[in-house]
Amino acid sequence: MGKLTIYQEETAACTTVSNCFIDQYMTEANDAQLKVYLYLLRTIQAGRTTSISDMADLFNHTEKDILRALKYWEKKLLLALDYDTSKNLCGIRLLTQNYKMQNPSAPQPADIVPLPSTKTPPEKPSYSLDDLKAFRSNQETEQLLFIVEQYIGKPLTPTEMKTVLFIYDKLHFSSDLIDYLIQYCVEKDKRDFRYIEKVALSWAENRISTPIQAMSFAKKYDKTIYTVMKALGKTGSPTPKEASYINRWTKEFGFTLAVIETACERTVLATDKHRFEYADSILASWHRAHVHTVDDIRTVDAAYQKSKSAPARSSVLNNQFNQFPQRDYDYDALEEKLLSN
């Protein structure tokens, strides 16, 4: 077959990758490492932000896989990881001194891929009636409160207005984002402002700043919740305790849905009660065993069965032979006796 001509019908936006990177670094990197680095280039050149969890979800890897890929490129001196005073990763700085001459248009050393802050959201202040009056006197926020009341279907109480003020004032949600927040909660038939506040805090922790980001985050969260609840034979929304288990499995442990579903399947076969607790014990043990994929589960299962079967065979042998009184025989004398008969 002859050589192919590669072309495109029209000019499209593109991400610049150094020839030096392709020649010197690409051949040694694995799949995850390549995806992460190319995505960082894409992020920088598009002027976007990202996070470890976003990259993990995008490429269907665990957060630990993403961190390992970042540390790999750090050792190759192609990027530097920036940490805050609490030793939390807060930025990724792309370094270009290794191939700057070959690719003048590559990102410069000052380029940084910003990551979400790990700071906890602020506590809710004790707003006074004067604070509420000032909040309502602003034309923009007055319109916002009117929209919220239309969604909720009733005038807001002072306590409920304080929640909206907190979200606007301290969480720095735009009017459009608050509009989408209320709409999202009402569509889930959740009009309780304690629930609305919890959703807002969750979005703030994940650096949600636009309705589009919130829509994407909510879709991903709802899919995870629905999948886990269904896998455990549950219906409806999770309780706060059940939601905390799911957050632990996805965020703290960094498991993919495939791994979580496998644990849920085993839980359903094993018990009808306390299923979240049972599934949590399985996933915690897999986390300690450094399980990341379904293939890792098979490896752990095989090792467990091997360790379990070895003592069992020894026990059978002991039961068959050692439970009877042992006798010492003179096998030469017995053989001679048999031959003489």
Side-chain angles (χ1 to χ4, degrees), residues 260-317:
I260 296 173
E261 283 185 279
T262 303
C264 292
E265 290 169 2
R266 298 187 181 192
T267 297
V268 170
L269 292 174
T271 182
D272 292 327
K273 298 179 180 180
H274 308 295
R275 285 182 171 174
F276 270 90
E277 291 82 354
Y278 193 96
D280 185 65
S281 66
I282 294 175
L283 290 165
S285 68
W286 288 350
H287 180 64
R288 290 191 296 270
H290 305 291
V291 166
H292 301 294
T293 66
V294 175
D295 287 337
D296 292 340
I297 297 173
R298 298 189 187 101
T299 302
V300 169
D301 286 347
Y304 174 74
Q305 291 298 330
K306 184 176 180 180
S307 65
K308 185 179 177 182
S309 61
R313 286 194 298 269
S314 176
S315 176
V316 170
L317 290 173

Side-chain angles (χ1 to χ4, degrees), residues 133-260:
K133 184 178 179 181
F135 181 54
R136 187 136 210 173
S137 65
N138 180 282
Q139 185 176 357
E140 180 186 356
T141 53
E142 182 183 17
Q143 179 68 20
L144 172 62
L145 290 172
F146 174 77
I147 292 172
V148 172
E149 288 176 339
Q150 297 306 304
Y151 279 125
I152 300 300
K154 68 177 185 67
L156 299 182
T157 66
T159 301
E160 292 169 342
M161 277 194 284
K162 288 178 182 179
T163 299
V164 179
L165 174 55
F166 166 63
I167 296 170
Y168 181 86
D169 177 45
K170 296 300 180 181
L171 300 186
H172 306 294
F173 278 28
S174 66
S175 296
D176 288 342
L177 185 55
I178 295 176
D179 185 330
Y180 180 76
L181 168 69
I182 304 300
Q183 179 184 345
Y184 168 78
C185 293
V186 169
E187 286 178 352
K188 295 174 69 67
D189 200 23
K190 301 289 186 180
R191 290 175 169 81
D192 180 26
F193 273 76
R194 287 174 295 182
Y195 179 87
I196 293 171
E197 184 177 330
K198 287 181 180 178
V199 174
L201 288 170
S202 173
W203 289 5
E205 289 174 353
N206 287 276
R207 295 298 296 271
I208 303 300
S209 59
T210 68
I212 293 177
Q213 290 176 339
M215 191 181 303
S216 176
F217 177 80
K219 182 179 180 181
K220 181 171 59 180
Y221 177 79
D222 288 346
K223 178 185 177 183
T224 301
I225 293 292
Y226 173 79
T227 302
V228 172
M229 295 293 285
K230 183 179 179 182
L232 288 174
K234 302 276 187 176
T235 58
S237 300
T239 65
K241 185 177 180 181
E242 291 171 342
S244 69
Y245 276 122
I246 297 173
N247 286 331
R248 169 178 157 92
W249 302 339
T250 56
K251 293 184 178 180
E252 181 182 340
F253 293 166
F255 285 135
T256 62
L257 263 180
V259 171
I260 296 173

Side-chain angles (χ1 to χ4, degrees), residues 68-83:
R68 278 194 290 268
L70 291 174
K71 290 179 179 178
Y72 171 84
W73 292 121
E74 186 178 40
K75 290 180 180 178
K76 294 291 184 180
L77 303 179
L78 291 189
L79 60 79
L81 302 179
D82 296 332
Y83 298 86

